[in-house]
Amino acid sequence: MRNFTPETLTEAVVARLSDCDNPRLKAVMTGLVRHLHAFVREVNLTEAEWFEGIQFLTATGQKCDADRQEFILLSDVLGVSMMVDALNHGTPSGATESTVLGPFYIPGAPELASDADIAHGSPGEPTAISGRVLDATGKPIAGAVLDVWQTATNGLYSIQDPEQDRYNLRGRFRTGGDGRYAFRTVKPVSYPVPTDGPVGRILDAMGRHPHRPAHIHFIVSAPGYETLTTHLFANGDPYLDSDVVFAVKNSLVVDFAPTGDGTGLAAAYDFRLAPSA
Ligand SMILES: [Fe+2]
């Protein structure tokens, strides 16, 4: 077939998938081609705009390295990450709600003793975080691992900041037989996502601010349970209702309250894990 028109081209591209022997890939690529073509038709994309899009995606890839993930950031600010999260973790199960992984996780944080300080003397308001890891019925889970990471008070994660050690404000904690965990840190701050790359430029061009409300990241895992990727957000933060990556859920907002003895702040949270499917 030749002489394709806007009316015939889409189905011709889809038809070329007829020999694809991976049914899921075939379904995904069929949907991608149909929606991509529909998008191009809907906005009546010009050639200059098409090329600007190509350059934008090229720059997004070129901004990535072993630690920086500009494509995850792009997915986050366009709401795609939270759409995938909602579709995959949307069924109420009694488990703690999930939210985005974000672009700043690195594996391999050291396992630390309970009550260790992940801030290692970094400036900030001393804060104690504690609670339990439970199953969906409220039974404590022993041996659950909490992989924790957050920014310093300058708004930067360790891998963004040459002044911080690689695993500063990161650590892994293991629950005891009572399901309890505890660690010390500094109060997280709201921060802008990186604005020195293509994602920052497109946010600015769209008239959007780049800020995230203060939070601590967690990946909570235990054998026999679904791994939970989530945050705890600081109540009262001015960006809770306009998070640039759309990740805030009410059940994940906690009070960072003064301890009363002048030693800083404390926040408590019990995580609940769903059984493995
Ligand atoms: Fe974050």
Side-chain angles (χ1 to χ4, degrees):
M1 191 173 174
R2 304 180 185 182
N3 300 332
F4 296 109
T5 67
E7 288 70 40
T8 63
L9 180 58
T10 303
E11 289 311 310
V13 177
V14 168
R16 297 280 174 96
L17 284 155
S18 61
D19 291 338
C20 178
D21 57 9
N22 179 331
R24 177 61 181 162
L25 178 64
K26 190 173 183 176
V28 169
M29 290 309 298
T30 297
L32 178 66
V33 167
R34 286 203 172 124
H35 285 271
L36 205 50
H37 284 216
F39 155 72
V40 170
R41 284 194 301 267
E42 180 184 317
V43 302
N44 201 15
L45 202 69
T46 68
E47 287 176 313
E49 290 164 344
W50 171 84
F51 191 59
E52 196 165 331
I54 295 290
Q55 288 180 306
F56 173 80
L57 292 173
T58 303
T60 301
Q62 288 171 337
K63 201 69 184 173
C64 295
D65 59 28
D67 285 334
R68 179 153 180 177
Q69 235 307 346
E70 194 80 355
F71 266 113
I72 291 183
L73 185 61
L74 179 59
S75 167
D76 289 355
V77 304
L78 294 180
V80 177
S81 305
M82 283 308 292
M83 183 66 79
V84 173
D85 173 75
L87 292 171
N88 284 273
H89 303 286
T91 310
S93 65
T96 299
E97 291 189 285
S98 55
T99 192
V100 293
L101 174 69
F104 301 113
Y105 175 70
I106 51 171
E111 184 165 336
L112 303 173
S114 184
D115 213 34
D117 183 3
I118 62 171
H120 306 290
S122 301
E125 206 164 358
T127 298
I129 310 286
S130 65
R132 294 174 298 166
V133 179
L134 308 171
D135 71 13
T137 68
K139 192 164 112 330
I141 300 175
V145 174
L146 301 95
D147 202 337
V148 177
W149 68 105
Q150 69 168 79
T151 60
T153 49
N154 63 2
L156 296 175
Y157 287 89
S158 61
I159 53 174
Q160 298 175 281
D161 183 359
E163 300 300 314
Q164 295 181 53
D165 290 337
R166 183 167 178 81
Y167 291 110
N168 191 41
L169 289 158
R170 299 173 187 269
R172 284 183 295 147
F173 297 89
R174 196 176 294 270
T175 59
D178 55 2
R180 291 204 170 275
Y181 72 91
F183 64 93
R184 288 174 294 130
T185 182
V186 290
K187 185 174 187 284
V189 297
S190 52
Y191 65 86
V193 296
T195 55
D196 61 341
V199 173
R201 288 197 295 277
I202 198 75
L203 283 173
D204 186 52
M206 291 191 292
R208 288 176 52 184
H209 77 66
H211 297 289
R212 298 215 59 210
H215 58 271
I216 302 175
H217 291 263
F218 292 84
I219 298 174
V220 187
S221 59
Y225 297 89
E226 294 288 334
T227 295
L228 170 69
T229 300
T230 196
H231 301 3
L232 294 182
F233 294 94
N235 201 6
D237 190 283
Y239 296 109
L240 285 171
D241 289 309
S242 66
D243 182 3
V244 67
V245 305
F246 309 95
V248 178
K249 296 177 177 178
N250 282 334
S251 68
L252 303 175
V253 178
V254 299
D255 289 321
F256 285 68
T259 53
D261 60 4
T263 57
L265 304 173
Y269 197 84
D270 289 344
F271 295 95
R272 288 175 180 255
L273 301 185
S276 294

